[in-house]
Every structure is written in structure tokens, then in C-alpha cells.
Amino acid sequence: MRSHTCGELRKSHVGQRVQLCGWVDTVRDHGGVIFIDLRDRYGVTQVIFDPRDSQEAWDRAQGSRGEYVIRIEGTVEPRPADMANPKLATGEIEVRSNTITVLNRSATPPFPLDDEEAAKVSEDLRMAYRYLDLRRPQMQKNMRYRHEMVQAIRVYLDRAGFTDIETPMMTKSTPEGARDYLVPSRILPGTFYALPQSPQQYKQLLMLAGFDRYYQVARCFRDEDLRADRQPEFTQIDMELSFVTPEDIYGIIDGLLAIIMKAAGHGEIALPLPRMKYDDAMNRFGSDKPDVRFGMEMTDVSDVFAGTQLKVFAGVLAKGGVVKALNAKGQGNTSLSVMDDWTAMAKDAGLGGLAYIRVSPEGEWKSPIAKFLSEGERQGLTKKLGMQPGDLVMFGADKLATVNTALGRIRLIAGEAAGLIDPKKFAFTWVTDFPLFERNDEGELQAMHHPFTSPHAEDLAFLDSDPLRVRAQAYDIVLNGVELGGGSIRIHDPELQARMFKILGIPTAEIEDRFGHLIRAFGYGAPPHGGIALGLDRLIMLMVGGESIRDVIAFPKTQKAMDLMMNAPARVDAKQLRDVHIRLDLPVENPATGPASG
RNA sequence: GGGGACGUAGCUCAAUUGGUUAGAGUACCAGAUUGUCGAUCUGGGUGUUGCGGGUUCGAGUCCCGUCGUCCCCGCCA
């Protein structure tokens, strides 16, 4: 139907007879001559209709409206030099047309389809008409980027000897971790499949099967609450390798990320990517996914306050807590109302409050705590924090973990407020040596990563005596404060795996029921192996500078996990429920509300 | 589950202390217009103020409930 796309005609095509197809972007009717900007995913070309060329074509052009689908035939002509449009790649030419076919008409779109206007439109409307939203150049670009990056990843991994293997979407629920999406079985009444939270066990079994290097662009499902960077279904670049150390994984991912940065047009990055131990990440940045685009690290000032008159700090230190500080350089003029907001945030994060000192340009310390500070403490703080006139210093005092987390959050918003975060910068870091276990709310041990994660060999001695001290061979890759992915070296020894389950307090019968297949498999010669999974949506989001992974997913869900275009989830027929042996037990208060079937 | 922001024309927004017929830009429709490219000019308001209830002489505005979207906390091995 077409000889060219709407993005490719140049001066070199002048004189050629061409056929173009696309959507009407705009119609400019001058009474005589009519201009139509014709758009497809490749670009925009100006088409000119003159009644002297063809009255019939002119009539149809005049009747065309935005988003009509048309096909035109015409001759490529140069534009007079002063009428070229530098905003268009095709701006030096136009197509003089005497033939136009309206392939399809369009209703008036419910919102403007140009990027600038659409950015202001409420997101629910864009989602309800996602197919129109996707017509916008920005969304076309995002989807195209996504495609190109996945292509680059596949080529890279193929060359590195990886095999792409699909694993089941209908699998078995594993009660740890996230809530599962369940699929009822019709054939076996009362039983359910679960959609995979990740292909974790399958990929480990593939190592056992001898597939050496596996990868998959894997869809994963987690029934948890949504965020800007979390969707109930998302995509991972999932991989697993046999006979590897963490170094091997770092090397492969470093190379992969370098390729992706290049494919996204962000140039070369220095390799190897920087690394940081988990403890350092927590102590310096207060996060296991530190944003290392800027400094403003935490400093432990407990020693400065060793004999302090300040009761709050003294009390914390007496109980074995710490006092840590952030110096927001040059932010001494931060308003009290902002400080109130940040204090509320600190309290929300578990601190009793947020002590702070605003240093005036003259060097005067303006602070509710200033009068309690001794000269020695003043000097100690000045020296240790490099305090200068105009600085803002904030303190957190509590248990180490609480202070770290709370000040870590304050660091991010204070850094943002101070304009320290360069949105064009890409700062990667590995975070290594995660703890193997953590305590949950009930005080029980649970696996920080997952129960198949291998402990550090040198920490094995503490596995029973001091499990919280045991480090895992687990690692995350972080970009600009976003967790891009994580993985670990797995346990391949069935005895150690059984020991892990025991330490985690999983009863023997339950181990057999939930993991018996895995332990049995590991009894048949499991190679040492490890892997990693990268969140593809987050990666693409960061590469295209998006605010949310919804920007890089063609058909995302809302915060209530609804698809506003399909109207999913929806009710189903009683017969469908009977087939899968399900009887509904709905809350009584408002049975009429909720998503209607449709 | 909790905290916060928002909901008025197709879209983005305005509307004084609760006060007359709810406006503007844009889109849309009609007409004019032969070099525009955010075309221009003239004319046209197309509205269940998300929904339900309440207070009031009178509600877009106040109160209660509810629905929806977004951000954050919890949650996400």
C-alpha cells in the first residue's frame, strides 16, 4: 500500500512518485491549498493538496479530521528554502498529492495525542484508551527502546553461551515471599496452581539438568500492593549459571549493562561497576539500594556526644544506640516548615525526632539543641562533619538500624531539595554480602533473599550459634537508588539445604511437601550454581528517563491492579465458577460495588 | 491496612465569605481563507460540578458516606 514511511523522505527523493499511509496529525485548510501532516511511527510528512491538481482529492482532504487513516499518492517536491520546517526530519520536502483514500475515519480522540498535552492528561483516561496513548511519539519511542534493548540482551546472552528456556506459568504456590496469584484446577477439585513469582526453582533444576547457562525474559507475578516501580505482573531478565562465583556473575552483568546503556544512547560506562558491602551501604547511605549520584553520607558522631548534657542523645547512647548526622551543605536556609515535614518523616521512620542545626551565613548555630552543646561538642561536630556557615546538619539517635533507615530517607529528600540529584547521571553500584537471615515481626528467622541462598563459606561456623552474623553470597545491582536486580550463589548441597530449612524453622513434613522435589533433585549431582534476575521494566524506565514503569509497559495496571481498558479483573459466570469448584464468599457490606462483569 | 493529593465542558484548568444565567484556553462544529506547519479570522457552549445523602432561603463551594486516579508507609523470599 505504501512505498515509503512518513519518516524517511528527504531531498534525495525529490521528483519521485510515492505512496504514504498513516494517521492525520493535523489539517491546515487555507481555502485553496490544504496541508495535511501525515503521521506513522516513523515520523511526520507534510502533504499538500491543491484544487488545481485534483478537485476530488482536495475535497477528501478537506473532509479529513484528526486520526483519520489515509493513504495518499503524490510527488516529492522540495520546499522553498524559507519554508523548510527544521522541527521535522522530513521538513525539507513535502508531497504534492492528487490522490487520497480515506482508509478509516476516527471519532474525536478523548484526549490530545501530542506528547506535551498528553503528559497533563489524567492517567486513568490514558489507560482507558491505552491504544491511543500508545500512538503518541513518546510511547512509541519507549516501546521501541524496550524492544531494542531486549534484542541487545538476547544477542549478548546468546553469544555468551546462554540458552533461552521457557518455564511454566502454571506452577506451585510457595508460601514464603509475596502473595501468589492462584489459578484453580478444574480437573483436580480444590487444588490450585500459582503463577510464578519468579522461575527460581525451575532455573535451579535446569542447572541440575546440565543447561550450564540459562536465561529467560520471564514474566513474574506478585499479588502485593503497587508502586510507581511495581506492577503485579512484571518482566525479569532471569538467568542462572553453573560452576560460577559471584565474580563471574558481576562480569556478565557489567557487560550486559554496558551494552544496554549504549543501546539506550547513554554512551560508554566504566567497568567494572563499583561495589559496596551491604553493611557499608546501610551505614553510609542508610539503604540497601543507595543512590550514589550524590554524597551527603551519614557520619557516626556518637563519640562526640559521649558525655553529652543532651538527655535524648545520652539516653540513646546509654542503651547502646548511636547518634549519626547528615550535613546538607549550604542548606542552612531551609525553612522551619520544611524541617517540620522532615521531622514528621523521621518520626514515621521510627526516630523520636529529628534534631538539627542550621548554621547562619555568619556562622551562628540556630538550633533547638544548641544551648545544650558544650564547646567540645561544637568543635567535635564542626571538625567531624566539616561544618561551615550556611550548612544544615541533621541528627538521628536510636538503634543503629533505625537511625540508618530514617536518615537514609532524609538524605534522599534533602539531597533532592538541595538539587544534588542529577537526573542525567547514571550511577550503578553492586551491593554485596547481604545477611543470610533477618528477623521478621514475630522475631523469627527468615531468609533475607530466599531459602536457597548459599552462606559465605567462612561464616558457616556461626550458622547455628549466631545466624544473624552469617553473610550470604547474595548481591543486588542498583542504579540511581533503584534496585535493578539481585541474585545469589545457591546451595547445591542437599544436607546444607536441609539444615537451612531447619534453621528457618520449617517442620520436616512441610519441607517434604513444599521442597521435597528440590532436595530430591539435588541428591542427583547438583552442580554448584548461582544466578541473578534483572527487573526489565525498571531498567527500561531508567534508560528512557521515565517516572514510572507504567511508561514502559504497553498495558499496565492501576494502583488497584485494574486494567482500565479491558476492565479486568471482572466477574465470571456462575458456570465458570462451578467448573472450577469455587463458591464465592464476598464481603456483605456492599455487594453491588466492585468491578462489573463485562 | 494507614497517611497525603486530586476529581467542574472531550481535554487542561478558573469560579471572592455559601449568592443571580458555572467561565477561560484548547478540542469540536459551521463559515471564510492559496504557503501553513501550535496556521489565521468570524460565529457556535456541547456541563449529571465523580456518585449518594445531609445542612441551608440558596451548595461547585460546608458536613457525612462512597467510587476512582496518583504518591508514600506497611507489604513486595
Side-chain angles (χ1 to χ4, degrees), chain A residues 1 20-22 68-71 101-105:
Chain A
M1 288 180 85
L20 299 178
C21 294
Y68 276 29
V69 187
I70 62 172
R71 176 181 181 275
T101 311
V102 175
L103 300 171
N104 225 332
R105 301 201 292 184

Side-chain angles (χ1 to χ4, degrees), chain A residues 307-386:
Chain A
T308 188
Q309 297 301 303
L310 202 59
K311 282 182 187 157
V312 195
F313 288 5
V316 164
L317 291 170
K319 276 188 269 179
V322 297
V323 181
K324 295 181 82 167
L326 288 171
N327 186 355
K329 303 293 293 177
Q331 298 302 302
N333 58 354
T334 302
S335 73
L336 287 176
S337 74
V338 168
M339 293 313 304
D340 285 347
D341 287 349
W342 294 0
T343 301
M345 202 169 297
K347 285 180 176 169
D348 192 50
L351 291 183
L354 185 71
Y356 56 88
I357 299 167
R358 298 185 301 160
V359 187
S360 76
E362 293 76 33
E364 184 197 349
W365 287 21
K366 294 186 293 184
S367 165
I369 64 167
K371 60 185 171 196
F372 301 106
L373 298 177
S374 71
E375 188 54 33
E377 285 164 354
R378 283 174 170 264
Q379 284 176 11
L381 289 176
T382 303
K383 191 176 169 204
K384 202 155 188 183
L385 299 170

Side-chain angles (χ1 to χ4, degrees), chain A residues 24 38 63 85-86 211 225-226 239 249 256 261 269 298 327 389 410-411 434 469 477 500 519 563 581 585:
Chain A
V24 174
L38 191 60
N85 185 351
F211 285 102
D225 286 344
L226 285 72
M239 52 189 105
I249 311 257
L256 181 61
M261 285 287 285
I269 52 171
M298 287 185 272
N327 186 355
I410 301 294
R411 172 181 175 268
F434 274 76
R469 181 173 162 182
I477 178 72
M500 277 291 290
I519 294 173
D563 179 332
H581 320 285
D585 178 19

